[in-house]
Amino acid sequence: MHAGSFLRRRLAHSSANSFHSTPFQLHRFRGAQISFPSFPRSSSLTSSYPPRRSLSTFPSSSPNEPRKASSFWTVTFALVLLCGGTWIHDKYRNSANNPPLPPHDQDNQELSPFLGVIDTLQTMPAEAAPGTVGNLTPEQEAKLQEFWVLLLKVCGVSLEDVEQSGDATPTSASQKKEQQPQQPKRRFGLFGGGKSSEDDDAASVKSANGISSGLASINITDGDDKYGQSKEFQQALVDMKPEEIRATLWNMVKQDNPDTLLLRFLRARKWDVKKALIMLVSTIRWRLQEVKVDDDIMKNGEHLALKQSQSSDPAEKKAGEDFLLQMRLGKSFLHGVDKLGRPICVVRVRLHKPSDQSTEALDRFTVYTIESARMMLAPPVETACVIFDMTNFSLSNMDYNPVKFMIKCFEANYPECLGVVLIHKAPWLFSGIWNIIKGWLDPVVAAKINFTKNVQDLEKFIPKDRIMKELDGDEDWEYKYVEPQPGENKTMEDTTKRDELLAERQKLAQEVQDATIAWISASQKKDDGALKAAKENRSGLIERLRVQYWQLDPYIRSRSLYDRLHILQGDGKIDFYPAESK
C-alpha cells in the first residue's frame, strides 16, 4: 500500500475515534510494515518501523491519562511518518529518474547529446575533468612532475640539473649520492637508437644496475598489490634495458598526450607516485614481453589472422580461425558514442561459447578491441562506455577466464579507461554469478557498473536515436563484419618512408623529453616567466607529437574493421556515424 495513503487513512481513523486509541493499537501500528512504490533495483526502498518497544519508553502526562497520552503519540508519530514518507518518496523518485553521474564525468555533463565527426586534434567544447590535463591543482601538477622524474630515471635519463635545483624526486640524499656515479653521461636516444658498440651495451648494463640499486627498492607493502605488480616492476628493471622501457613507453603513448597517459596511472593510485610508477612500468613490461601489443597485435591485426586461417599448420590455422570468429560473429564491437561522447563497446554475451575458441585467441581479441577503442578517444573524453548485452544469456555462455582477463586489463594495464559499464537485461540466474564477479572487482571499478533492464534505462546514458534497434532503440544499424581487403596494407611495405617517420618521431619525443625537464626545472626555480615559456613550448611539441602519430600510423598498424568502415579516417579524424556525413 502507498505510504502516504496508508498513513492518511490511519490518521483519519484515529481522529474519528476522538483519540481513543489504545496502547495495544499503538503497539500494533509501530510494528507495521510499510511498503513504498516499487523502484528500479538500484533505487529500491523498503522501510520497516523499529522493533516493538514498551510504551514506558515514551513520556505520559500522568498515570490517570493513559488513553489520552497514547492517542497523542499516535497522532504525532503518524504525522512524522507522513511527512517523512512523502519526502523520501520524492527523493528516491527523483534519484531513480536522474541517477548521479560517475564522479569523473560530472564536469562533462554539458556535452552535446551525441557527437558525429570528431577530430582528435581539436578540443571539444567541454571542460576537462578534475585531475586531467588542463585541470590540475598545483599539488597534482607537482605529483605529475615527480612522476616524470622517476620515470625518466627508470629510462636511464640523467637528471642532475633537476635534482640539484629542487626536491622533485623522493629519493633520499644518501641514495642520490650512491646513484650519481652510476648515472650514464649521454644523450637521450629513443626506440633503442644510438650507439650499438660494446661500450654502449656496457653503459646500458651499468645504467640498469644503477636503476636497480636506486629504485628497485620501491615496493607496495600495504597489501594494495592485487596483481603482483611490485614483483613485475622489479623484474622489468632486471630484464629490460632502459632503452627498451623508453621505446615501449613512447610506443604506448601513440596519439595520446603523454601527460594524459601518466595521469591515468596517478589517478588510479590515488596520486601515490611510487605506486603509479610500479603500475606503469609493470604495464610497459606486460605490453612488450607478455602480449606484444604494438609489435604484434596491432601491427599484424586481422590480416595475420586471415593468413593464419589459410595455413596448412593445424595450430596456426586454429589460431587464425579463432580470432576471426570473434570478429565475424560480432561478439564484441565498437559503435557510436554515449551522451558524454564516450565510445560505446557492445559485448553480446549470448554469442560466447567457451569451447568455440582458445583462451589465447580470446585474450588477443580483447586487447585488440581495447586498443582500437583507445584510438577513438578525443580530448577531453578519456573513457569508454561498455554495454554487456545479457539478452538470452544462459549458463552455457558463462566463462570466468575472459572475465578475469578483462578485469585485470582495466584495473592493472588500462587504468581510468572505463567510464561506465552497463549490464543490460541480466536474467535472474546471473545474480549468483554477479556475486562472485563483484568480489573480484576493485571498488572504484565496481562503482561504475549499472544494471539496465530496458531501453528507458539505457536512455539515461545514451540518446535513444543512438541505441541500435537490437537493443530496442531507434538507430537502424546492425553489425556486419567487412573482411580484410587485398592491398589495404600496401603502405606498410614502404619501409623507407616508415623509417623516415620513425626517425622524425624519435626526434620529437627527444624534444618533448627535454622540454619536460626544462618545465620541471623552471617550476622548481619558481621562475614564472621561464615556467610560462617552458609550458607553452612543451604544449606545442606535444601537439606536434600527437599529429605526427597519425602520419606514422598507416606504416606501423595493420588496417582494421574500423578503418574499412571509415570510422578511423586518418589524420586523427574519427567519424562514428560515417553514413550520415555523406
Side-chain angles (χ1 to χ4, degrees), residues 102 104 383 416-422 443-450:
H104 189 65
T383 59
E416 295 291 303
C417 286
L418 274 180
V420 66
V421 177
L422 307 178
V444 175
V445 175
K448 297 177 181 180
I449 296 175
N450 295 266

Side-chain angles (χ1 to χ4, degrees), residues 422-568:
L422 307 178
I423 300 181
H424 188 58
K425 290 187 177 181
W428 66 269
L429 59 86
F430 182 70
S431 58
I433 297 171
W434 171 242
N435 286 333
I436 296 173
I437 295 174
K438 186 169 58 175
W440 300 337
L441 294 172
D442 180 274
V444 175
V445 175
K448 297 177 181 180
I449 296 175
N450 295 266
F451 284 82
T452 57
K453 59 184 180 181
N454 50 45
V455 70
Q456 288 76 26
D457 289 344
L458 287 179
E459 284 185 79
K460 298 171 187 175
F461 304 91
I462 309 167
K464 192 172 183 180
D465 61 348
R466 297 302 184 190
I467 300 174
M468 58 185 181
K469 288 186 176 180
E470 182 177 321
L471 297 175
D472 301 321
D474 292 340
E475 186 184 15
D476 189 12
W477 183 91
E478 59 180 297
Y479 177 86
K480 293 180 181 178
Y481 181 63
V482 179
E483 296 285 335
Q485 303 298 304
E488 67 181 14
N489 283 328
K490 191 172 181 59
T491 305
M492 297 182 72
E493 299 173 8
D494 189 349
T495 56
T496 301
K497 182 64 175 178
R498 179 201 65 193
D499 293 344
E500 177 186 325
L501 290 169
L502 281 172
E504 180 184 341
R505 187 163 183 82
Q506 291 174 24
K507 183 175 182 296
L508 274 171
Q510 165 76 53
E511 293 175 5
V512 171
Q513 176 212 281
D514 292 343
T516 299
I517 295 173
W519 165 54
I520 296 171
S521 180
S523 180
Q524 291 174 351
K525 294 175 181 177
K526 303 185 185 303
D527 184 336
D528 292 341
L531 179 59
K532 181 179 179 181
K535 283 185 174 182
E536 290 177 354
N537 178 55
R538 184 170 179 268
S539 294
L541 289 169
I542 287 174
E543 186 62 21
R544 286 174 56 194
L545 186 72
R546 295 181 66 243
V547 172
Q548 198 270 347
Y549 171 77
W550 292 109
Q551 299 170 5
L552 174 63
D553 179 71
Y555 296 88
I556 62 172
R557 181 181 64 86
S558 176
R559 301 299 89 181
S560 71
L561 168 66
Y562 305 105
D563 295 282
R564 294 190 288 276
L565 292 177
H566 305 293
I567 294 172
L568 295 174

